[in-house]
Amino acid sequence: MTALSKITAAALLCSAAVMQAATPVYLDDSQPLEARVQDALSRMTLAEKIGIIHAQSKFSSPGVQRLGIPGIWCTDGPHGIRPDVLWDEWDQAGATNDSCVAFPALTCLAATWNPEMAALYGRSIGEEARYRNKNVLLGPGVNIYRTPLNGRNFEYMGEDPYLTSRMVVPYVQGVQLNGVAACVKHYALNNQEVDRDHVNVLVDDRTLHEIYLPGFKAAVTEGGAWSIMPGYNKYDGDHACENSVLLLDILKGDWGFDGVAISDWGAVHNTDKVARNGLDMEFGSWTNGLNWGASNAYDDYFLAKPYEKLILEGRLPESDLNDKAARVLRLIMRTEMNRNRPYGSLNSDEHYAAARKIGGEGIVLLKNDGGLLPVPADVKKLLVVGENAIKMMTVGGGSSSLKVQREVLPLDGIRALAAGRGIDVAYERGYVGDVTGEYNGVTTGQDLNDERSAEQLIADAVKAAREADMVVFVGGLNKSDHQDAESTDRTSFSLPYNQDAVIEALAAANPRTVVVNLTGNAYSMPWLDAVPAVVQGWYIGSEAGNAIADVIFGDVNPSGKLPFTFAKELTDYAPHATADAEMYPGVNGDVRYKEGLGVGYRHTDRLKPSRVNFAFGHGLSYTTFDLGKAQLAGDGRFTEASGVTVDVPVTNTGSRSGSEVVQVYVRDVKSSLDRPYKELKAFGKVQLAPGATTTLSLNLPKEAFAYYDPATKLWTIEPGKFEILVGTASDAITSRLPLTIKESFTWHD
Ligand code: BGC
């Protein structure tokens, strides 16, 4: 080594040592997270702490510029990455690099009953968020399907807390693998859109814990969610963002949540309450920010200057602020300051493939008399009817509205697969629904106007139906107000726009009429007996047309199962059973969940199984399965540590490969508290070649047998007789196994 190179090497070593010594703990990612958080916090002024706990624009919050700590960018969620909006307004910014893949709506994901699909979904959407430099994905939504009128049910995972819990965990974990936080919403009891900003939910403790909280709890305690979004509504008198029971006692107390509670946009109302009761970050309070205010309007946020003032005056403790700021720092370090996170990807072939796969697995074959589907080989002329076959569904519906790179319409997807089979496809409109195609400045560019009268539209469709070998009607709801859309509820359980009459006319004209409905909600089916086949298609996003065509033509063998009950009429759902306005939509601002645990099948099972068109868990296949006699594994005894395991032999008895979902329900034969007739507590999906058999082992841990005792606030198992019900749907039980639990057990959350 020359003298010069020795000097250079020494200088380099020395400067590295200086740099190392100078690297503050908070910037050193070899240090433990908590040490970094506390170090950063200790360097921050009061104003800087206040600065990071509220928005600086519609979807971002600042970091700490003096310390080189970056801010946070949020994005909707939950079905794709929303287009960038203007700094202070909801309207899209008009960027050209923010088109995304729209993944299927969460109802469709839930209908796969396949946690692997939830993992694929979470990982894929997380990659899109990461590529777009978003740190917080505002989703998934896990509010329980209480009423089929709720306009936002399509963004949630159905009526069952167990199914929701199993599906939300892999979604959250998949998103967060990318260094992007999932923000689970809308915590809690945001089950209707009517009066959503203020409606006060009154629900008993047991129902709260058994039905409405488990999805959130699983997302936090098992999924490790880094953020959660308290919603707009009130619970027991206090807005969710200001609710100490929800935020302090349950979320941060019982569940040990160490992440950030981020307000829904504009859901904060009071500095004192929000400061004390556990909310960490405020967004969306002043929607016109810099445009309207004399000064920076974000300074007027409840958690901005007004909060700082109360602390400086000694009226609020700084310790609460320190906790909030520490949580926000933790979030920043887990996301934007994580140098090891992957780079993400946008609009990749893999993401389109994931969307198509999840869509195909989530589509539910409700009815298939005479095996009409898949489209038989003798069909040469196929008629497609219905507005939803040609309408882009990714634009509209509220905050989940997207700007997609591409969207395959059902008619185009059907045409593509028909062409390869030598089938001619004709199209007739049948009805005109809602021809608007705009949301926050994103337009579909479609002109769906049609001047024909309703009678003429039906007459034209009927004429074409008579000439076709088979008819596929594609209808349902859409993303317009009072359909499946944020901020309004539906006003009727029926399909809109005269569709019932169209379907009846088509069925009369052509006995091979298949109904495919795209919705996020159940609806009445007065034409059910008249049509041989019905498919529940959901909102499937970018790959909608391909996924639907895959199922109709049989390239994909359907395996979806309903995540909520399709009852006959609105009054077959407990909140609507007696037309009691206190139960829905509420009276004088209060809505009372008087039905308690009687949500979905927990209601219809006991009171009116015959009032259901398609039960929770129902879904057919193009093959057939046989469930052999289920047995308890081992000595069949329940233990606190491992519960009990059920072995279920499944055989594919048909002629093509397919997947079946084995569902395990638990029934408490006698209980001191009234319990639902049965409740889903385990499930497993298995793919089998024709003739193949396998045995699924499904574990029921102790939680599967417990109820929440409101008197003691403990989860409780009473000794006594239980029954384990195994089947392929909540109304298709094939084995009933008795089980006796000899001791009692209790535990705290
Ligand atoms: C919705 C949230 C959404 C937020 C931001 C609110 O109106 O309720 O679900 O994440 O806006 O767009």
Side-chain angles (χ1 to χ4, degrees), residues 58-59 75-78 82 90 138-139 152 155-156 185-186 190 193 196 229 231-232 263-266 398-400 486:
K58 206 88 191 106
F59 281 96
T75 175
D76 284 296
R82 184 175 180 160
W90 288 113
L138 303 176
R152 290 193 91 171
E155 293 184 69
Y156 305 140
K185 62 193 192 182
H186 304 90
N190 190 169
E193 293 296 290
R196 70 165 175 168
M229 183 191 287
Y232 288 124
S263 77
D264 199 345
W265 268 232
S399 53
S400 63
E486 179 178 341

Side-chain angles (χ1 to χ4, degrees), residues 402-434:
L402 296 170
K403 183 165 118 191
V404 287
Q405 188 199 40
R406 66 169 196 255
E407 175 171 349
V408 180
L409 298 169
L411 180 59
D412 295 335
I414 290 171
R415 282 211 160 112
L417 289 200
R421 291 166 163 83
I423 302 174
D424 266 0
V425 178
Y427 175 74
E428 270 298 333
R429 183 68 170 266
Y431 66 95
V432 174
D434 190 333

